[in-house]
């Protein structure tokens, strides 16, 4: 249990801005194993966003409360996944070859494709959340953040890391069977808090996952850390879209 707790701390330290106890002498194998708890970090981020939303709804109209909830999740992760979406949009939109795409994605400056992707993603997220019934909205946030991070973990399980080096390389080893099962449990468990029909919202998630996974394989021959962030953002939006379509 102490070893698993260490892995949880590593995952939270990597994927969030939470102040975590410093872990010494972390091995490459431990970093790789910590990735299995990526969906668990979704519980934390989604739970924080849900709490901010719940409190906000007690004192504010739905619109401002949703904006504050969105902002809280961005601050908690340091915009890690939003940055990945912007960089991926710039690289895949502006690069003709794999090398060009990877070079563009590594540039810290945001381009037109990245800016457009961010604006559309944030606007779409706000409008989808605004279209939902407030009764289930906090639980939907927790499920969405967990499921979308499971989608990123599944990319790590099915493709190779596309760079020779990079920030995400420490976690880039494919998860073991036990690690993948752990991720599946933490990714799907929050779905049990929602009505049964909410499972239908996973269909758009699956479609987006397949589409973007094939795009990454064809364009880059694999994934980068930015691509994982983009997958998280895209599948989170797909989950919200599915929820709105089935109207729970």
């Amino acid at each position: 249990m102490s070893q698993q707790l260490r892995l949880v701390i590593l995952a939270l330290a990597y994927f969030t801005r939470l102040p975590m106890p410093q872990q010494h002498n972390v091995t490459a194998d431990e970093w790789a194993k910590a990735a299995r708890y990526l969906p668990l970090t979704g519980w934390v981020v989604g739970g924080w966003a849900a709490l901010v939303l719940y409190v906000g709804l007690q004192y504010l109209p739905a619109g401002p409360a949703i904006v504050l909830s969105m902002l809280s999740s961005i601050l908690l992760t340091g915009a890690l996944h939003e940055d990945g979406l912007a960089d991926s949009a710039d690289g895949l939109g502006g690069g003709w070859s794999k090398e060009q795409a990877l070079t563009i994605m590594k540039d810290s400056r945001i381009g037109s494709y990245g800016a457009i992707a961010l604006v559309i993603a944030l606007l779409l997220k706000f409008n989808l959340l605004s279209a939902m019934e407030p009764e289930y909205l906090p639980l939907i946030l927790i499920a969405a953040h967990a499921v979308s991070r499971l989608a990123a973990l599944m990319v790590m399980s099915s493709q190779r890391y596309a760079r020779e080096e990079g920030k995400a390389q420490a976690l880039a080893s494919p998860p073991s069977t036990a690690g993948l099962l752990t991720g599946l449990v933490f990714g799907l468990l929050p779905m049990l808090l929602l009505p049964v029909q909410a499972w239908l919202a996973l269909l758009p998630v699956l479609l987006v996952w397949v589409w973007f996974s094939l795009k990454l394989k064809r364009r880059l021959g694999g994934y980068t850390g930015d691509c994982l962030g983009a997958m998280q953002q895209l599948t989170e939006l797909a989950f919200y879209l599915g929820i709105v379509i089935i109207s729970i």
Side-chain angles (χ1 to χ4, degrees), residues 15-17 41-42 44-50 52 66-82 122 125 129 141 145 149 232-233 236 240:
F15 292 110
T16 75
R17 292 290 182 89
T41 68
V44 176
V45 178
W48 174 244
V52 172
I66 289 172
V67 170
L68 289 176
S69 175
M70 291 170 56
L71 178 60
S72 70
S73 66
I74 292 173
L75 292 176
L76 188 58
T77 61
L80 179 66
H81 307 298
E82 289 79 6
L122 292 172
K125 187 179 298 186
L129 292 175
L141 286 172
H145 281 275
R149 283 162 175 79
Q232 186 279 318
Q233 288 287 291
E236 183 185 349
Y240 296 146

Side-chain angles (χ1 to χ4, degrees), residues 1 30 35 107:
M1 289 298 296
E30 286 179 314
D107 193 334

Side-chain angles (χ1 to χ4, degrees), residues 123-132 137 237-238 240-241 244:
L123 285 175
L124 183 57
K125 187 179 298 186
F126 172 78
N127 281 281
L128 288 172
L129 292 175
S130 298
M132 298 178 195
L137 199 46
L237 288 170
Y240 296 146
L241 181 63
V244 170

Side-chain angles (χ1 to χ4, degrees), residues 4 8 11-12 35-46 145-146 149-150 182-183 186-187:
Q4 295 306 307
V8 170
L12 289 171
R36 69 183 64 182
Y37 291 112
L38 176 56
L40 179 59
T41 68
W43 289 25
V44 176
V45 178
H145 281 275
R149 283 162 175 79
L150 172 60
T182 300
F186 284 114

